[in-house]
Amino acid sequence: DIVVTQSPDSLAVSLGERATINCKSSQSVLHSSNKKNYLAWYQQKPGQRPKLLIYWASTREFGVPDRFSGSGSGTDFTLTISSLQAEDVAVYYCQQYYTIPYTFGQGTNLEIK
Amino acid sequence: QVQLQESGPGLVKPSETLSLTCTVSGGSISRYYWSWIRQPPGKGLEWIGYIYYSGTTKYNPSLKSRVTMSVDTSKNQFSLKMNSVTAADTAVYYCARLGDDSSGYVADYWGQGTLVTVSS
């Protein structure tokens, strides 16, 4: 199985500041045939279902604010929230969908400082 | 707007079989892959497996011996059965749609989740 590890486990950022969450996979999720990274990011607010934010490591899902961005390739990825809003308080998960079983990171709990 | 709704017993006895159904509305179950994902209370997400509308399945190897998924296109539903459950299977169970090839089949629509507790 591909092990996906996020850092940090918890993060507190002031409103309007930048938040950065890292995700590392135990093997590359870059597919050689299409040059795409099979890495997604989800947001889960308290008591709610997960919501897809980003796929292909950097493509925002329709309707996701542009303050959310994804970057990285191969085994190292980053989710950045450029200017934190109160409604961004949530747990964020990365997931690899390169190979079965699809696996998630342990989650990063993002709070307001 | 596609909506998914899980249904099934909220309490299952140890060693028995967990059975859940996901009803899809606002769109056809055909042409997509459909997945089950679970989340133990206070913990992270675990992918259980997926089923294509044609019936093709892929399961997490760690659960494969206990899991069966099925689909009923006439009812726009798909189902999960997990046998020989233990307390470790207590979790919120989500059903989800996997998007098409343009996104690489990520979970783009999720049900609200249903808590299944394994206890005698």
Side-chain angles (χ1 to χ4, degrees):
Chain A
D1 297 5
I2 295 179
V3 176
V4 179
T5 305
Q6 293 179 227
S7 61
D9 290 334
S10 186
L11 180 63
V13 175
S14 300
L15 289 172
E17 295 299 305
R18 178 185 300 260
T20 301
I21 299 170
N22 300 301
C23 175
K24 187 174 184 68
S25 58
S26 61
Q27 60 192 80
S28 177
V29 298
L30 174 63
H31 206 291
S32 57
S33 64
N34 59 10
K35 304 303 182 193
K36 291 183 181 292
N37 288 282
Y38 285 61
L39 192 287
W41 289 95
Y42 297 87
Q43 174 193 63
Q44 187 177 31
K45 295 182 179 181
Q48 295 187 18
R49 72 198 80 182
K51 173 188 174 184
L52 176 66
L53 294 178
I54 287 171
Y55 55 94
W56 295 140
S58 61
T59 302
R60 267 190 306 276
E61 173 72 334
F62 180 78
V64 173
D66 61 7
R67 65 180 180 272
F68 291 90
S69 64
S71 63
S73 185
T75 61
D76 293 278
F77 302 91
T78 300
L79 174 70
T80 301
I81 307 172
S82 61
S83 177
L84 190 71
Q85 305 300 303
E87 61 264 33
D88 300 334
V89 169
V91 178
Y92 291 83
Y93 294 95
C94 57
Q95 179 213 9
Q96 67 80 19
Y97 51 104
Y98 181 83
T99 190
I100 289 169
Y102 299 159
T103 46
F104 293 87
Q106 79 276 19
T108 294
N109 186 33
L110 177 59
E111 301 175 327
I112 304 294
K113 185 185 292 183
Chain B
Q1 177 79 347
V2 174
Q3 293 185 321
L4 295 87
Q5 178 68 59
E6 304 89 350
S7 59
L11 181 65
V12 181
K13 290 182 169 54
S15 80
E16 296 191 345
T17 297
L18 176 161
S19 295
L20 296 174
T21 296
C22 183
T23 301
V24 179
S25 58
S28 173
I29 202 167
S30 298
R31 203 174 66 81
Y32 286 98
Y33 290 83
W34 304 89
S35 190
W36 290 95
I37 297 158
R38 69 180 182 178
Q39 184 172 37
K43 296 189 177 180
L45 299 163
E46 181 181 28
W47 180 78
I48 299 172
Y50 68 62
I51 185 167
Y52 194 43
Y53 76 98
S54 63
T56 301
T57 56
K58 286 288 185 183
Y59 303 138
N60 189 323
S62 68
L63 300 169
K64 185 176 182 178
S65 64
R66 299 195 292 127
V67 166
T68 303
M69 296 182 187
S70 59
V71 62
D72 187 337
T73 55
S74 66
K75 294 181 179 179
N76 241 29
Q77 294 177 334
F78 62 105
S79 298
L80 169 71
K81 290 188 185 297
M82 181 181 295
N83 60 33
S84 305
V85 297
T86 70
D89 296 310
T90 293
V92 174
Y93 286 76
Y94 294 100
C95 59
R97 190 189 82 168
L98 301 186
D100 59 22
D101 188 58
S102 66
S103 68
Y105 308 102
V106 291
D108 56 0
Y109 287 94
W110 295 63
Q112 66 183 24
T114 187
L115 174 63
V116 177
T117 301
V118 179
S119 175
S120 55

